[in-house]
Amino acid sequence: MNDQDRTPARPLLRRPQDGELIDVAGVEHFFRLTAEHTGGRFAFEEFGLAPGTIGARPHVHDGHDEYFYVLEGELTLHTGDGEVTVGPGHLLAATRGTPHGFRNAGPVPARALCLYTPAGYENYFRDIHAAVSAGAEATDELLAEFRSRYRTSSY
């Protein structure tokens, strides 16, 4: 057994500026923790949407769960039964197989947190960002193609 094996794991402290910013179709995804930080257990992001921005049209994940927590502004959430507009303190648990989506229909920017479990869906945003940076247009068809790679389908 070497010294590294005997050293207890240490918590990971992230400063407010620590993270990976990925801008996709007008949504600023700021990943504070990714699979690389958590051993694949979960990913954690803060995201922002300007007024009038669609975050994600209704869709379903078969490979991970998402939990949304609103910090500022309002999000209009698709819940599978319709839409509801919510403000700070509201939480949506979009577990596997449940339809969901979100947009900012309000007059001010919205900011929220999202937890993905297990991690990995952050790669979807990396892939879209890379494609758009290389000149692709973020069409519904392109998004659907990338979503299918991550066990996600439109609703």
Side-chain angles (χ1 to χ4, degrees):
M1 178 180 245
N2 65 36
D3 287 347
Q4 189 175 16
D5 293 335
R6 287 190 295 255
T7 304
R10 294 176 189 238
L12 173 62
L13 177 63
R14 304 284 282 171
R15 296 179 309 257
Q17 69 273 18
D18 292 342
E20 178 182 1
L21 181 61
I22 305 172
D23 191 337
V24 175
V27 181
E28 292 182 346
H29 300 270
F30 187 52
F31 282 93
R32 304 298 311 277
L33 296 170
T34 62
E36 295 82 9
H37 302 109
T38 67
R41 290 184 292 277
F42 69 93
F44 183 78
E45 76 162 304
E46 180 178 331
F47 66 90
L49 288 91
T53 302
I54 296 173
R57 287 181 171 81
H59 61 283
V60 175
H61 300 292
D62 291 324
H64 71 277
D65 304 322
E66 292 179 349
Y67 303 89
F68 298 88
Y69 184 81
V70 181
L71 296 171
E72 296 175 355
E74 294 181 340
L75 287 181
T76 298
L77 303 171
H78 178 83
T79 64
D81 294 323
E83 290 188 330
V84 61
T85 299
V86 300
H90 284 83
L91 179 116
L92 175 70
T95 55
R96 285 164 232 210
T98 60
H100 63 284
F102 63 97
R103 61 190 173 95
N104 181 356
V108 299
R111 195 167 60 94
L113 302 175
C114 188
L115 173 73
Y116 303 84
T117 180
Y121 202 64
E122 64 271 28
N123 292 320
Y124 164 79
F125 299 105
R126 289 171 174 154
D127 290 350
I128 295 291
H129 181 74
V132 170
S133 294
E137 186 178 338
T139 62
D140 289 341
E141 293 76 22
L142 179 74
L143 298 177
E145 175 190 330
F146 281 103
R147 281 183 179 160
S148 69
R149 297 178 188 178
Y150 294 95
R151 299 178 59 196
T152 299
S153 56
S154 297
Y155 177 75

